[in-house]
Amino acid sequence: MWSLVFLTAIAITSLNLQPCEGLLKVIADFDRWEHINGSDVFNVEMLRVRKYNRTLSVLNGTIGLLIDLSNTYEYGVSFSRSAQGNNQYDAYPMKLASRPFCEFIRTHYRDYQHFFLNSSNLPYVTEEGLCPFPKGDYWMKDLYIESSAIPVVVPEGFWRATLELRNIETGVEAARGAMYVKITKEYI
């Protein structure tokens, strides 16, 4: 679930920017996942990043969603970048502002769900949306970031996407996680 949001967030930033069609190729490679809090909402103990081959890391494992997620929650993603790779991350002006969870699924996730459908058992979302998002175990098998989802204007470096789920009624943070990705560019 967290990884689908991260991938969707990266893809969304490229709505008006098309990937380079010639000389430059953007490569996004998973580094790691951190579950910061929210173990009463998500169980991500079985989620792992592993090397698929010499040049690609993939996400494997199962995420247990322990509650139904509805519009009583809002979801937001912020990005930060470490140009040197020294864990000194600077906030980046690219983000997905918090919005009700079902609205996020109906819009952003639905537009990019084709990235996940062959590598996971995440539900297919129709134009009407899916609310509430059902609790259950969602697996990922060899899920990778499509380079076509990353605009060429995104700079190289180590990226952290901080994902936050907040209860709208109480204003309390329900869950937080961070996905780390290395972005490089290669001339072909």
Side-chain angles (χ1 to χ4, degrees):
M1 182 57 146
W2 289 103
S3 62
L4 80 91
V5 174
F6 175 70
L7 295 174
T8 302
I10 288 178
I12 290 165
T13 61
S14 66
L15 285 175
N16 295 320
L17 302 168
Q18 296 300 315
C20 185
E21 295 187 13
L23 303 174
L24 191 62
K25 179 180 177 183
V26 177
I27 301 164
D29 201 26
F30 285 117
D31 185 44
R32 69 185 186 275
W33 163 257
E34 288 180 0
H35 183 99
I36 299 167
N37 68 10
S39 57
D40 54 335
V41 178
F42 294 102
N43 177 6
V44 294
E45 292 176 11
M46 300 300 296
L47 193 61
R48 301 284 184 260
V49 174
R50 74 172 182 90
K51 283 302 254 185
Y52 182 76
N53 60 29
R54 211 167 40 108
T55 60
L56 180 68
S57 293
V58 295
L59 195 60
N60 282 310
T62 302
I63 296 174
L65 178 57
L66 306 175
I67 61 172
D68 291 333
L69 291 176
S70 64
N71 277 338
T72 58
Y73 293 93
E74 64 181 4
Y75 202 76
V77 182
S78 60
F79 294 92
S80 52
R81 177 176 172 257
S82 172
Q84 306 294 322
N86 58 2
N87 281 335
Q88 293 182 2
Y89 287 88
D90 296 319
Y92 204 75
M94 175 175 70
K95 71 176 186 173
L96 292 175
S98 294
R99 61 185 347 180
F101 192 81
C102 292
E103 183 182 334
F104 178 88
I105 294 297
R106 184 180 52 78
T107 57
H108 300 314
Y109 171 73
R110 191 175 70 78
D111 289 341
Y112 296 95
Q113 66 186 334
H114 62 278
F115 290 129
F116 315 107
L117 292 178
N118 292 329
S119 301
S120 73
N121 68 335
L122 290 166
Y124 180 79
V125 177
T126 63
E127 195 170 311
E128 294 80 37
L130 176 64
C131 195
F133 195 89
K135 67 181 175 180
D137 289 332
Y138 297 102
W139 55 262
M140 281 153 237
K141 175 96 170 118
D142 297 338
L143 181 66
Y144 62 94
I145 300 173
E146 288 276 343
S147 61
S148 63
I150 312 285
V152 295
V153 296
V154 172
E156 291 182 300
F158 291 86
W159 287 83
R160 177 180 64 203
T162 303
L163 314 141
E164 183 182 64
L165 182 70
R166 184 173 293 279
N167 187 313
I168 292 174
E169 296 168 352
T170 64
V172 174
E173 181 179 275
R176 180 183 288 259
M179 179 68 69
Y180 294 83
V181 173
K182 180 180 180 185
I183 294 180
T184 56
K185 295 179 182 179
E186 176 180 290
Y187 289 96
I188 52 173

